[in-house]
């Protein structure tokens, strides 16, 4: 099921009730037009500009364990720092959603961290979980797509699996679209893309002290 939203909500006071409901009912939701075309474009220009200036290959693991591993993922990432108007607007929208989820579900989402990701042609990210049960403070994942257009045969879909490892969704990375899913429950992978694929991946986190563990895939 894919829900479509016309306006950029948050700023327009739109309700995120349907996201909350979907998280309760099935643990994930795909939302078309989560971002306005205008904000999607502003963020696309920004990531293109960062990419031209040179951003880094993504690593897997955290802290001392961080490694750049070509077999697992081949995207390039750059953490958002809220220093531009477009980033601030995006973060405000993601915060509004967090507040609504917290109000209804008492998930205790504390903060949100996100990075731009650039998958050049040939890039992929093998099947993984963003968090392991009880070991991570990443609770809710969102991925937001920034390409201007995406054709069905370009590859680069996000394949989402259920807890029994059955494929449940193949999400085309269409601009403005977002997916939200509970981080511990859904293994997922980025299929090899044939075109440059632009996205923002973000994680809502709880403020737990899990210092002895390493978060995967940062
Ligand atoms: C990730 C991830 C999915 C996507 O960065 O952890 O799974 O569709 N990204 O870009
Ligand atoms: Mn992931």
């Amino acid at each position: 099921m894919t829900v479509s939203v016309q306006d950029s909500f948050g700023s327009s006071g739109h309700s995120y009730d349907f996201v909350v409901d979907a998280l309760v009912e099935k643990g994930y939701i795909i939302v078309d037009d989560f971002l306005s075309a205008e904000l999607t474009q502003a963020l696309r220009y920004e990531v293109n500009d960062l990419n031209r200036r040179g951003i880094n290959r993504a690593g897997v693991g955290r802290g001392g364990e961080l490694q750049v591993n070509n077999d697992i993922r081949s995207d390039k990432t750059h953490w958002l720092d809220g220093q531009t108007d477009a980033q601030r607007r995006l973060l405000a929208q993601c915060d509004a959603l967090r507040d609504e989820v917290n109000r209804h579900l008492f998930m205790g989402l504390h903060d949100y961290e996100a990075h731009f990701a650039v998958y050049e042609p040939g890039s992929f990210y093998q099947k993984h979980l963003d968090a392991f049960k009880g070991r991570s403070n990443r609770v809710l994942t969102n991925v937001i797509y920034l390409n201007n257009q995406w054709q069905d045969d370009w590859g680069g879909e996000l394949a989402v699996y259920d807890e029994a490892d059955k494929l449940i969704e193949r999400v085309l990375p269409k601009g403005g679209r977002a997916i939200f899913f509970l981080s511990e429950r859904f293994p997922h992978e980025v299929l090899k893309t044939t075109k440059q694929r632009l996205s923002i991946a973000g994680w809502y986190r709880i403020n737990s002290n899990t210092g002895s563990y390493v978060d995967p895939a940062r």
Side-chain angles (χ1 to χ4, degrees), residues 125 128-130 141 181 188 203 217:
Y125 191 163
H128 63 281
L129 275 173
D130 286 345
T141 298
F181 59 87
H188 53 280
W203 296 273

mmCIF file of all heavy atoms in Angstrom, residues 125 128-130 141 181 188 203 217, ligand 2:
data_model
loop_
_atom_site.group_PDB
_atom_site.id
_atom_site.type_symbol
_atom_site.label_atom_id
_atom_site.label_comp_id
_atom_site.label_asym_id
_atom_site.label_seq_id
_atom_site.Cartn_x
_atom_site.Cartn_y
_atom_site.Cartn_z
ATOM 1 N N TYR A 125 23.315 -1.964 -1.977
ATOM 2 C CA TYR A 125 23.546 -2.169 -0.537
ATOM 3 C C TYR A 125 22.887 -3.488 -0.189
ATOM 4 O O TYR A 125 21.673 -3.634 -0.275
ATOM 5 C CB TYR A 125 22.926 -1.015 0.263
ATOM 6 C CG TYR A 125 23.281 -0.931 1.735
ATOM 7 C CD1 TYR A 125 23.059 0.234 2.441
ATOM 8 C CD2 TYR A 125 23.842 -2.006 2.429
ATOM 9 C CE1 TYR A 125 23.367 0.350 3.789
ATOM 10 C CE2 TYR A 125 24.165 -1.908 3.769
ATOM 11 C CZ TYR A 125 23.911 -0.734 4.441
ATOM 12 O OH TYR A 125 24.215 -0.626 5.780
ATOM 13 N N HIS A 128 20.276 -6.129 4.812
ATOM 14 C CA HIS A 128 20.737 -5.873 6.185
ATOM 15 C C HIS A 128 19.569 -5.409 7.037
ATOM 16 O O HIS A 128 18.505 -5.065 6.531
ATOM 17 C CB HIS A 128 21.832 -4.792 6.186
ATOM 18 C CG HIS A 128 21.352 -3.459 5.699
ATOM 19 N ND1 HIS A 128 21.192 -3.168 4.359
ATOM 20 C CD2 HIS A 128 20.955 -2.336 6.363
ATOM 21 C CE1 HIS A 128 20.729 -1.947 4.225
ATOM 22 N NE2 HIS A 128 20.576 -1.398 5.428
ATOM 23 N N LEU A 129 19.809 -5.364 8.333
ATOM 24 C CA LEU A 129 18.891 -4.726 9.275
ATOM 25 C C LEU A 129 19.573 -3.446 9.748
ATOM 26 O O LEU A 129 20.791 -3.418 9.906
ATOM 27 C CB LEU A 129 18.674 -5.622 10.494
ATOM 28 C CG LEU A 129 17.606 -6.713 10.434
ATOM 29 C CD1 LEU A 129 17.697 -7.577 11.681
ATOM 30 C CD2 LEU A 129 16.209 -6.104 10.318
ATOM 31 N N ASP A 130 18.784 -2.406 10.019
ATOM 32 C CA ASP A 130 19.388 -1.170 10.524
ATOM 33 C C ASP A 130 19.642 -1.238 12.030
ATOM 34 O O ASP A 130 20.350 -0.396 12.576
ATOM 35 C CB ASP A 130 18.477 0.024 10.222
ATOM 36 C CG ASP A 130 18.523 0.399 8.751
ATOM 37 O OD1 ASP A 130 19.439 -0.058 8.042
ATOM 38 O OD2 ASP A 130 17.640 1.152 8.318
ATOM 39 N N THR A 141 13.286 3.755 11.013
ATOM 40 C CA THR A 141 14.081 4.182 9.851
ATOM 41 C C THR A 141 13.187 4.944 8.888
ATOM 42 O O THR A 141 12.023 4.576 8.714
ATOM 43 C CB THR A 141 14.614 2.939 9.101
ATOM 44 O OG1 THR A 141 15.476 2.185 9.969
ATOM 45 C CG2 THR A 141 15.386 3.340 7.841
ATOM 46 N N PHE A 181 9.931 2.530 8.389
ATOM 47 C CA PHE A 181 9.750 1.157 8.898
ATOM 48 C C PHE A 181 10.468 0.981 10.229
ATOM 49 O O PHE A 181 11.444 1.682 10.520
ATOM 50 C CB PHE A 181 10.200 0.112 7.868
ATOM 51 C CG PHE A 181 11.637 0.190 7.427
ATOM 52 C CD1 PHE A 181 12.646 -0.459 8.123
ATOM 53 C CD2 PHE A 181 11.978 0.908 6.277
ATOM 54 C CE1 PHE A 181 13.973 -0.407 7.683
ATOM 55 C CE2 PHE A 181 13.304 0.969 5.831
ATOM 56 C CZ PHE A 181 14.303 0.314 6.547
ATOM 57 N N HIS A 188 16.288 -5.332 4.574
ATOM 58 C CA HIS A 188 16.052 -4.637 3.300
ATOM 59 C C HIS A 188 17.363 -4.526 2.555
ATOM 60 O O HIS A 188 18.440 -4.652 3.144
ATOM 61 C CB HIS A 188 15.451 -3.252 3.553
ATOM 62 C CG HIS A 188 16.248 -2.416 4.505
ATOM 63 N ND1 HIS A 188 16.182 -2.578 5.877
ATOM 64 C CD2 HIS A 188 17.167 -1.436 4.293
ATOM 65 C CE1 HIS A 188 17.004 -1.732 6.458
ATOM 66 N NE2 HIS A 188 17.623 -1.022 5.524
ATOM 67 N N TRP A 203 17.382 7.905 10.772
ATOM 68 C CA TRP A 203 17.020 7.020 11.884
ATOM 69 C C TRP A 203 16.560 7.835 13.071
ATOM 70 O O TRP A 203 17.268 8.737 13.534
ATOM 71 C CB TRP A 203 18.220 6.155 12.285
ATOM 72 C CG TRP A 203 18.624 5.248 11.188
ATOM 73 C CD1 TRP A 203 18.118 4.004 10.931
ATOM 74 C CD2 TRP A 203 19.594 5.503 10.148
ATOM 75 N NE1 TRP A 203 18.709 3.477 9.801
ATOM 76 C CE2 TRP A 203 19.620 4.370 9.305
ATOM 77 C CE3 TRP A 203 20.431 6.572 9.849
ATOM 78 C CZ2 TRP A 203 20.443 4.287 8.194
ATOM 79 C CZ3 TRP A 203 21.251 6.491 8.740
ATOM 80 C CH2 TRP A 203 21.255 5.358 7.923
ATOM 81 N N ALA A 217 25.924 -0.575 10.051
ATOM 82 C CA ALA A 217 25.619 0.156 8.824
ATOM 83 C C ALA A 217 25.607 1.662 8.939
ATOM 84 O O ALA A 217 24.919 2.339 8.206
ATOM 85 C CB ALA A 217 24.277 -0.304 8.270
HETATM 86 MN MN1 LIG B 2 19.278 0.220 5.853
#
